[in-house]
Amino acid sequence: MRFLLLLFTLLLSSISFGQSLDGPCLRIFDNPDEAFDIRRQVIINAKEEIVMSYYALANEVRPMNILRLLKEAVDRGVKVRLLLDDYNSKLPTEMRAFLKNNHIETRFYNVLKIKNIGRIDRRMHDKYVVIDRKYLLVGGRNLKDGYFKLKVKEEQTFYDLDVLLTGQPAIEAADYFEERWVSPLAEERVIKKINEDKYTDLEEKIFRTYDEIEALDGMSLSDEKAALSECQDTSFYAYDPNDKLDNESIQDIYIREIENAQTSIDIQNAYVILTKPMQKAIRAAAERGVRVRIVTNSLKTADVTMSYSAFRNLRPKLMKWGVEIYEFTQNDTLHTKLAIFDNKRFIVGSFNLDPRSANINSETIILSGDKQHAELIQEFYDETLELSARINEKGRHEGTNKRHPGTTFGKRLLNSILRFTLVPILRGRL
């Protein structure tokens, strides 16, 4: 009897304070302040290892705050490794020296050298963090101020999404990182002579920025709020076309999900320049009665005009097939990369629906069949629809007679020129 009572007490304790099986298996971060804060929290709570892989890390305020936290993690005995795309992480020599001096191991993907000029456009587009092989943060945000809407030099801000989850996907992402870390394309950058005054200024700025942001945000996530259970039917996938492996590509995964959809496909993506196989799959889905909706940037919000021009050439074909098109109309650039299938399966990650993501860059996603959390992603999608305008049969935003409201004549002219000149030539590289 005493044994049964003890067993019941332990079970009750685990339900109250452990990770409940029916608790949330992931948290979504669409708010930029919370998205920044969760990065701080997972670093602060790391016990053994932090690995981070990013397409872009900038010499800006919030990334400096992250670097200071990584330094503190090293100081308390955590192993920290950082893998960055060389072309898009333009770190000054002094910042690379700061990383090295503070034992933050850093390697760069496809370092720009004369001998590498033939593969200059092969980039590492990954964006994820793994903590202690237990927690995985993955999504569309780069480590730049604009992705967290810090109003310092607010030239451009981004509307984006991250998800935090635990369990097997984190292990899969950590294993992938190990493969990337020893890749011939990942190497350390030689640090030549540094300017001591600039280094001192940078170090002071990192410490000063840290204090300012601590005072500015004052945010933290409680253990109870952050507690997660393991997601069901959820996996991390990564693919680098340059590795020439036999594993399934992310485009193949997308196409498989599109082909299996029965009622609805909701896509939200920054750059929609569909490859021929993707076009074929979406057309077939629409023709068999699946409702297909795509939300992407308008000319006003697009940060890459040529990408929008390529989409603009594709748009009439999609609408002819019955696809509903919505264009984002806010002041931010839409940067999310997600898809929801039948309101019960979803993809979130770095994969843009363009030839570059399909055939050139390395990319990472999670694919989940956890219906409870698919509904949360669906809520975010529906909120984005409210911030967008549907394109009507005349090719205009519903509610206006203008083709590209909120844009300058110069941008409209550039779009028209690109559509009929460079885009048809370069479409496969966009």
Side-chain angles (χ1 to χ4, degrees):
M1 183 67 180
R2 182 176 298 176
F3 171 78
L4 291 176
L5 182 61
L6 177 60
L7 184 62
F8 177 79
T9 302
L10 289 173
L11 178 62
L12 186 64
S13 174
S14 66
I15 293 174
S16 301
F17 303 107
Q19 292 185 345
S20 170
L21 292 176
D22 61 355
C25 82
L26 64 80
R27 296 193 60 208
I28 70 171
F29 297 91
D30 57 324
N31 177 285
D33 285 326
E34 288 192 357
F36 177 65
D37 194 62
I38 192 58
R39 285 165 169 79
R40 294 171 55 200
Q41 294 302 315
V42 295
I43 293 171
I44 289 169
N45 287 285
K47 301 293 190 297
E48 297 177 359
E49 181 185 56
I50 300 169
V51 298
M52 305 176 70
S53 186
Y54 275 97
Y55 175 65
L57 185 153
N59 182 23
E60 295 174 348
V61 175
R62 292 205 168 184
M64 286 186 182
N65 183 270
I66 295 295
L67 295 186
R68 167 65 188 272
L69 290 172
L70 292 177
K71 173 192 180 305
E72 291 184 351
V74 171
D75 291 344
R76 65 175 185 269
V78 177
K79 182 178 182 179
V80 178
R81 287 179 292 169
L82 188 58
L83 184 59
L84 303 171
D85 182 76
D86 186 65
Y87 182 77
N88 292 283
S89 296
K90 298 178 176 64
L91 304 188
T93 301
E94 290 73 28
M95 182 170 282
R96 287 188 280 116
F98 176 85
L99 294 169
K100 185 176 180 64
N101 293 344
N102 288 283
H103 307 290
I104 300 170
E105 299 180 53
T106 308
R107 292 183 183 178
F108 296 84
Y109 180 89
N110 199 9
V111 174
L112 293 176
K113 300 176 182 178
I114 295 297
K115 67 177 183 179
N116 297 342
I117 197 70
R119 62 171 193 249
I120 189 172
D121 63 343
R122 291 167 53 174
R123 308 314 328 168
M124 187 191 76
H125 197 240
D126 308 348
K127 311 161 199 299
Y128 64 93
V129 183
V130 185
I131 304 296
D132 296 336
R133 295 180 64 86
K134 182 178 180 183
Y135 291 101
L136 168 65
L137 181 69
V138 63
R141 288 185 173 94
N142 292 299
L143 293 182
K144 301 177 73 173
D145 282 346
Y147 292 88
F148 307 102
K149 295 191 180 180
L150 184 64
K151 298 179 185 296
V152 177
K153 290 184 178 178
E154 193 175 346
E155 299 174 358
Q156 184 173 41
T157 55
F158 295 88
Y159 179 89
D160 217 325
L161 180 78
D162 297 303
V163 296
L164 176 70
L165 62 161
T166 189
Q168 186 61 30
I171 296 171
E172 294 165 350
D175 289 343
Y176 170 66
F177 182 91
E178 295 298 336
E179 294 176 5
R180 306 291 283 164
W181 187 253
V182 298
S183 164
L185 292 181
E187 57 185 291
E188 297 182 23
R189 288 281 303 271
V190 175
I191 300 175
K192 299 179 181 178
K193 184 177 180 180
I194 65 170
N195 183 307
E196 294 296 339
D197 290 337
K198 287 185 178 180
Y199 183 85
T200 300
D201 289 344
L202 173 71
E203 203 169 34
E204 290 177 353
K205 188 175 182 180
I206 289 174
F207 279 74
R208 184 173 66 252
T209 300
Y210 179 83
D211 293 337
E212 289 172 354
I213 289 184
E214 286 287 290
L216 174 67
D217 289 336
M219 295 174 57
S220 65
L221 300 173
S222 67
D223 291 340
E224 180 180 353
K225 187 178 180 182
L228 296 169
S229 61
E230 291 196 27
C231 292
Q232 303 301 308
D233 187 20
T234 302
S235 294
F236 172 88
Y237 291 95
Y239 185 72
D240 184 353
N242 307 304
D243 288 342
K244 301 187 184 305
L245 301 175
D246 293 330
N247 54 312
E248 188 176 30
S249 74
I250 292 178
Q251 175 171 264
D252 290 340
I253 293 170
Y254 255 94
I255 289 174
R256 187 184 70 227
E257 294 299 319
I258 291 170
E259 290 175 342
N260 290 336
Q262 300 298 311
T263 58
S264 65
I265 300 169
D266 286 333
I267 292 169
Q268 187 179 141
N269 203 281
Y271 312 107
V272 178
I273 316 171
L274 303 176
T275 63
K276 293 296 184 181
M278 286 288 286
Q279 290 183 42
K280 181 180 178 181
I282 285 178
R283 179 178 184 176
E287 289 179 346
R288 68 174 182 268
V290 177
R291 184 185 188 187
V292 183
R293 297 186 292 181
I294 296 177
V295 184
T296 190
N297 279 298
S298 60
L299 181 60
K300 171 190 171 184
T301 63
D303 61 329
V304 182
T305 303
M306 191 178 298
S307 293
Y308 177 82
S309 301
F311 164 71
R312 178 64 185 82
N313 286 350
L314 175 65
R315 197 177 73 183
K317 185 188 296 186
L318 292 170
M319 295 181 68
K320 181 180 179 180
W321 297 338
V323 177
E324 300 174 31
I325 303 295
Y326 295 80
E327 292 187 353
F328 197 62
T329 58
Q330 306 306 299
N331 293 323
D332 303 327
T333 291
L334 184 145
H335 197 257
T336 42
K337 303 102 169 39
L338 65 87
I340 312 158
F341 308 94
D342 296 337
N343 198 26
K344 62 184 180 181
R345 295 177 65 80
F346 64 91
I347 290 173
V348 173
S350 69
F351 189 84
N352 291 309
L353 297 184
D354 58 18
R356 171 164 291 280
S357 289
N359 303 316
I360 302 174
N361 290 344
S362 68
E363 304 287 350
T364 54
I365 62 166
I366 62 160
L367 169 63
S368 178
D370 193 297
K371 188 175 186 300
Q372 175 189 357
H373 295 90
E375 291 172 353
L376 292 178
I377 303 293
Q378 188 72 55
E379 288 177 13
F380 172 75
Y381 185 90
D382 293 342
E383 290 170 2
T384 308
L385 283 183
E386 297 296 320
L387 303 174
S388 308
R390 185 171 177 178
I391 302 300
N392 62 26
E393 64 279 1
K394 295 181 179 180
R396 291 172 169 79
H397 290 188
E398 285 188 347
T400 179
N401 290 321
K402 296 181 179 179
R403 287 192 182 277
H404 302 292
T407 59
T408 63
F409 171 76
K411 194 166 189 178
R412 294 193 296 273
L413 177 62
L414 177 61
N415 172 55
S416 297
I417 293 172
L418 291 174
R419 285 182 59 196
F420 302 105
T421 56
L422 291 180
V423 164
I425 298 171
L426 300 176
R427 189 184 184 283
R429 313 298 294 182
L430 297 177

